[in-house]
Amino acid sequence: MVKIAFNSALAQKALVSEKDPETGSVYGSESSTGRCLLTLLGLAFILSGLIVGGACVYRYFTPKKLYHGSMQFTKLDSADVPMDVEAREPYYLPRIDEDVDIRDDVAIVNVPAPRFGEGDPAYILHDFKRKMTAYLDLTLRTCFVIPLNTSVVLPPQDLMDLFMQLMSGSYKSYLVHEDLVVTERVDDLGPLGYYIYNLCEGKATYKMQRRSEIIGIQKRSVEECFKIHHFENKFVTETRICRA
Ligand SMILES: *[C@@H]1O[C@H](CO)[C@@H](O)[C@H](O)[C@H]1NC(C)=O
């Protein structure tokens, strides 16, 4: 309403000035229109500045977007699923919940303590640039690092797509085992990159290897093992970490 009134007033003024080009009112009307436009332009400029500034503040000072997903899984390995799997399925399937923060070159997975069953709560960080994975076991307050396994961990864009898919309902999957062995302690976190440094700083940190890769390992009689259940693909991985 206000805008219309303003416009019609302006139109009337213009009409008047057209009829009578000699009077001083023409100049006055044009200059006030110009000032008005300038003011509007200034306001638009300030507004766009505020919007861009706001976006920057939002980008840098608020937590990154977290994706939440959950997966149910059958304890049976994919290899030895019997024919009557449907009949054998327990009433309640174990379920894994995860929050994940995905950026261009890093994904940080937050695995809470499972409500039922075993497994440690953990933060799992995949550094796609450095091709390293770090497990921060929150029960032990200890970090374990190993080269990123790209056949288990989806690249960032695919991981995002997976979580988008998980948001639309429950997902039934299967369990894959991963058997890792602690090898040596890491004293200098620097070479592991900025992200892993931030995650593991102040915690005891160890390197790991796949058990299958260790040639001629003597299986010690006393091994301290723990498990972390997580997913970064369409299946759930049970990571078993052992130190002798
Ligand atoms: C990645 O994980 C899969 C499944 O656990 C395993 O078969 C494969 O050997 C691993 N690859 C590497 C490079 O560690």
Side-chain angles (χ1 to χ4, degrees):
M1 287 295 271
V2 174
K3 204 179 163 194
I4 289 164
F6 177 71
N7 279 348
S8 66
L10 216 75
Q12 258 179 0
K13 260 194 177 176
L15 229 79
V16 166
S17 62
E18 233 176 83
K19 272 182 185 168
D20 198 353
E22 301 292 313
T23 58
S25 75
V26 176
Y27 182 78
S29 143
E30 259 179 15
S31 105
S32 81
T33 307
R35 242 185 317 211
C36 186
L37 278 175
L38 265 179
T39 310
L40 281 178
L41 208 72
L43 277 178
F45 196 71
I46 291 168
L47 208 68
S48 63
L50 281 178
I51 289 167
V52 170
C56 287
V57 168
Y58 180 80
R59 172 92 170 70
Y60 288 104
F61 295 102
T62 58
K64 297 289 185 296
K65 178 156 175 50
L66 282 184
Y67 296 87
H68 178 85
S70 74
M71 258 191 207
Q72 294 183 307
F73 62 96
T74 49
K75 282 263 189 181
L76 299 160
D77 276 315
S78 50
D80 50 38
V81 173
M83 297 309 281
D84 60 343
V85 61
E86 292 297 331
R88 289 240 219 136
E89 261 180 19
Y91 189 71
Y92 282 114
L93 289 176
R95 195 179 104 179
I96 301 292
D97 280 276
E98 273 185 9
D99 288 314
V100 64
D101 171 1
I102 305 168
R103 300 176 217 178
D104 288 340
D105 46 11
V106 64
I108 304 170
V109 183
N110 177 7
V111 185
R115 265 175 288 180
F116 303 103
E118 51 179 356
D120 285 353
Y123 277 110
I124 306 169
L125 189 153
H126 303 290
D127 189 332
F128 296 99
K129 222 184 213 164
R130 298 216 169 223
K131 306 225 177 333
M132 288 296 288
T133 293
Y135 297 83
L136 170 57
D137 185 301
L138 295 173
T139 305
L140 304 168
R141 289 187 49 79
T142 305
C143 254
F144 302 93
V145 295
I146 192 161
L148 178 74
N149 185 334
T150 47
S151 61
V152 169
V153 181
L154 289 174
Q157 190 56 53
D158 296 350
L159 202 56
M160 246 182 261
D161 292 345
L162 172 67
F163 275 84
M164 290 296 170
Q165 213 179 315
L166 292 182
M167 284 199 316
S168 61
S170 74
Y171 193 91
K172 261 190 208 172
S173 188
Y174 57 94
L175 188 66
V176 167
H177 295 273
E178 197 176 48
D179 202 356
L180 309 179
V181 181
V182 171
T183 53
E184 57 179 302
R185 185 160 179 161
V186 181
D187 292 317
D188 182 13
L189 290 172
L192 297 173
Y194 170 79
Y195 296 110
I196 292 181
Y197 181 93
N198 266 353
L199 184 76
C200 298
E201 194 202 356
K203 286 123 196 152
T205 303
Y206 297 90
K207 277 187 186 169
M208 299 185 291
Q209 249 185 313
R210 306 185 65 76
R211 189 182 292 277
S212 56
E213 277 174 1
I214 299 173
I215 305 152
I217 190 179
Q218 307 280 342
K219 189 165 178 179
R220 310 259 183 102
S221 50
V222 188
E223 243 183 5
E224 182 203 338
C225 299
F226 46 91
K227 290 170 182 172
I228 299 168
H229 292 98
H230 57 104
F231 59 86
E232 292 89 3
N233 206 323
K234 291 186 173 171
F235 47 84
V236 175
T237 306
E238 177 184 278
T239 300
R240 183 167 170 262
I241 300 175
C242 294
R243 41 184 178 189

